[in-house]
Amino acid sequence: MSVAFVFPGQGSQEVGMGKAMAAAYPSARAVFEQADRALGDATPLSQLCFEGPLEALTLTANTQPAILTGSIACLTALRERLPNLKPALVAGHSLGEYSALVAAGALGFADTVKLVRLRGQAMQDAVAPGTGAMAAIMGLDAEGVAAACEEVRAAMPGRVLEPANFNAPGQVVVAGHADAVARVGEVVSSRKGRAIPLKVSAPFHCSLMKPAADRLALAMADISIATPECPVVANVDAQPNRDAARVKGLLVAQVAGTVRWEQCVNTMIAAGVTTFVEIGSGKVLSGLIKRVKKDAVLHNVSDPASLDALVAALN
């Protein structure tokens, strides 16, 4: 059995995330305490995760460190229960790539919590509110979505509209200027597809995020990167990486670049992975992986009950 650990990104947050795990495992609680100390917020991050309110938790600058912390708390409990379960590969969707890098030992947790706080703030600040938007395009393949974006850009010179996430077959997310995203919905619908507007605060993973990428690059200058203990499949090129010198460049490129999640999953499958363990809040990635490979074995670890289920399945 070859296992990959995968880590969710923004959108998987929910009030109560990590609360049961922190109550059941002192090691998981210690992860939340470390995040609280690193950020030094008036309202501790752990309190936001456990009790909300949802409006504060969904602010990008809070969501990103919250999801990272919840994922690493779950990983810590998993390692306590299953110390011999070693992943062949790790990967994460967008923000989840930071969790994957912490899991692989390439990034230190305290540094990373502060870094993703800055990343969230920088992404929020890159575009004025209401300027940008994102939509999930269902029912068209990647080439069809790219062609629709090209048609809109030709009709609306100077507007940004780009594929942001290749999530799974028949599900591509686009991002760019709000009017261009609205127009692509009409084009897609004329081609028997469907555009679902996403409730996001900014148009992530498109060239409008270039100012955020620049801020992240500056912030990463002082962060030390260790050689990953196992390969980390990067979002921007869907290739396994164990070269510490490449990590910063891959993370900076990811902010304004496309998340190639479907290709990442195919890379892991091609490397022999048969079992995926999604670590952190929700089961979004499990759903996407199932659409890429119907017979993949999927587990998730988000609370003590799901961790017990994983232990029972593997024993």
Side-chain angles (χ1 to χ4, degrees), residues 151-228:
E151 183 178 319
V152 171
R153 286 196 302 270
M156 302 177 75
R159 307 316 267 167
V160 168
L161 180 68
E162 297 158 7
N165 305 341
F166 292 111
N167 280 333
Q171 192 198 110
V172 179
V173 174
V174 298
H177 285 107
D179 51 359
V181 172
R183 175 78 71 88
V184 84
E186 298 165 16
V187 173
V188 163
S189 146
S190 72
R191 297 178 185 181
K192 309 237 168 22
R194 190 161 56 104
I196 303 167
L198 300 182
K199 289 181 182 173
V200 291
S201 52
F204 305 129
H205 300 295
C206 73
S207 52
L208 292 174
M209 288 289 113
K210 177 74 167 57
D214 293 342
R215 273 177 70 181
L216 185 70
L218 283 174
M220 291 194 82
D222 299 329
I223 301 272
S224 60
I225 312 278
T227 300

Side-chain angles (χ1 to χ4, degrees), residues 96-108:
E97 190 167 335
Y98 290 78
S99 303
L101 285 159
V102 172
L107 286 173

Side-chain angles (χ1 to χ4, degrees), residues 226-251:
T227 300
E229 292 155 13
C230 71
V232 181
V233 183
N235 283 187
V236 292
D237 62 5
Q239 294 303 306
N241 178 52
R242 286 196 75 175
D243 180 359
R246 293 189 65 224
V247 168
K248 290 182 183 180
L250 289 167
L251 290 178

Side-chain angles (χ1 to χ4, degrees), residues 30-199:
V31 172
F32 280 98
E33 290 169 351
Q34 192 179 355
D36 290 344
R37 286 195 301 274
L39 295 174
D41 295 340
T43 301
L45 185 73
S46 59
Q47 187 179 321
L48 269 187
C49 291
F50 300 165
E51 297 163 25
L54 184 62
E55 297 73 35
L57 184 61
T58 49
L59 291 171
T60 300
N62 292 330
T63 306
Q64 297 203 13
I67 290 170
L68 169 80
T69 302
S71 290
I72 299 307
C74 290
L75 174 70
T76 303
L78 182 159
R79 285 176 166 165
E80 193 176 307
R81 292 288 299 280
L82 294 166
N84 296 322
L85 182 63
K86 305 290 186 194
L89 294 158
V90 294
H93 188 287
S94 184
L95 166 75
E97 190 167 335
Y98 290 78
S99 303
L101 285 159
V102 172
L107 286 173
F109 175 66
D111 276 348
T112 309
V113 166
K114 290 186 280 193
L115 187 63
V116 299
R117 158 62 57 80
L118 179 138
R119 178 183 184 265
Q121 197 64 61
M123 291 172 87
Q124 189 66 64
D125 295 346
V127 179
T131 304
M134 299 180 79
I137 309 297
M138 315 298 280
L140 294 185
D141 62 14
E143 292 73 21
V145 174
C149 288
E150 203 169 311
E151 183 178 319
V152 171
R153 286 196 302 270
M156 302 177 75
R159 307 316 267 167
V160 168
L161 180 68
E162 297 158 7
N165 305 341
F166 292 111
N167 280 333
Q171 192 198 110
V172 179
V173 174
V174 298
H177 285 107
D179 51 359
V181 172
R183 175 78 71 88
V184 84
E186 298 165 16
V187 173
V188 163
S189 146
S190 72
R191 297 178 185 181
K192 309 237 168 22
R194 190 161 56 104
I196 303 167
L198 300 182
K199 289 181 182 173

